[in-house]
């Protein structure tokens, strides 16, 4: 990619940063973005599971109201508030993912970006934007 393309000030390639480094940082950033999406899916899992557990309150109430006390008791005893994996509710899975994987990944990506590109993010994408824009078009400006 031509690193002489005009990008906005926050995305200008620092002096001496090679195309190969920009490409490598882009790949690292893309991997982190994928982990971000996985984290979002984990939060979806957390919230959906929590919503399902709270919805069981209505199911138990309705089973009892319909005269099915034994079945209501079974749902309360066997499913309501159950661990999703041994010893863990979903919030604990989210916390462990963050502490064990995500926070470490994010910190390393930031450190490497700082070491190799003065902390500048999305250099690859900014240069791609510069290469693909129509010069002079108001919706294609660098900023």
């Amino acid at each position: 990619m031509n690193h002489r393309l005009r990008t906005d000030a926050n995305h200008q390639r620092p002096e001496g940063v090679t195309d190969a480094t920009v490409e490598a940082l882009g790949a690292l950033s893309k991997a982190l973005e994928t982990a971000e999406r996985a984290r979002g899916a984990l939060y979806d899992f957390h919230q959906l599971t929590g919503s399902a557990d709270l919805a069981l309150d209505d199911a138990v109430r309705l089973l009892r109201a319909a005269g099915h006390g034994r079945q209501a008791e079974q749902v309360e005893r066997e499913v309501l508030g159950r661990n999703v994996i041994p010893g863990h509710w979903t919030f604990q899975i989210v916390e462990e993912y963050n502490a064990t994987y995500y926070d470490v990944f994010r910190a390393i990506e930031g450190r490497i970006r700082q070491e190799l590109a003065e902390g500048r993010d999305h250099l690859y994408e900014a240069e791609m934007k510069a290469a693909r824009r129509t010069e002079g078009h108001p919706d294609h400006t660098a900023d």
Side-chain angles (χ1 to χ4, degrees):
M1 194 168 297
N2 181 353
H3 67 276
R4 289 181 170 69
L5 294 169
R6 205 175 101 243
T7 61
D8 66 280
N10 292 329
H11 295 99
Q12 288 178 359
R13 184 191 294 210
E15 191 67 35
V17 175
T18 66
D19 287 348
T21 298
V22 168
E23 185 176 1
L25 289 171
L28 183 61
S29 174
K30 183 177 180 181
L32 178 59
E33 290 169 5
T34 301
E36 293 274 9
R37 292 178 60 205
R39 185 171 181 248
L42 193 55
Y43 274 92
D44 286 344
F45 164 72
H46 163 58
Q47 291 178 354
L48 289 168
T49 301
S51 294
D53 191 68
L54 291 173
L56 288 174
D57 293 335
D58 282 341
V60 167
R61 180 182 54 76
L62 291 168
L63 283 167
R64 280 205 175 97
H68 306 292
R70 183 177 58 77
Q71 289 83 359
E73 180 65 32
Q74 183 180 16
V75 170
E76 272 186 327
R77 184 180 62 252
E78 299 295 330
V79 184
L80 190 74
R82 184 181 185 93
N83 290 331
V84 295
I85 61 173
H88 292 81
W89 270 23
T90 58
F91 75 90
Q92 293 166 303
I93 296 169
V94 169
E95 289 174 352
E96 289 299 316
Y97 178 84
N98 286 340
T100 304
Y101 184 77
Y102 174 75
D103 291 346
V104 173
F105 191 167
R106 188 164 179 239
I108 288 172
E109 187 273 344
R111 224 175 3 259
I112 290 171
R113 196 169 19 86
Q114 187 62 46
E115 291 169 4
L116 301 180
E118 299 176 5
R120 295 184 186 164
D121 202 6
H122 294 106
L123 294 177
Y124 185 86
E125 292 89 338
E127 291 179 7
M128 183 173 20
K129 174 185 176 182
R132 296 176 63 83
R133 74 173 181 254
T134 302
E135 197 63 43
H137 191 290
D139 292 331
H140 290 223
T141 60
D143 297 329

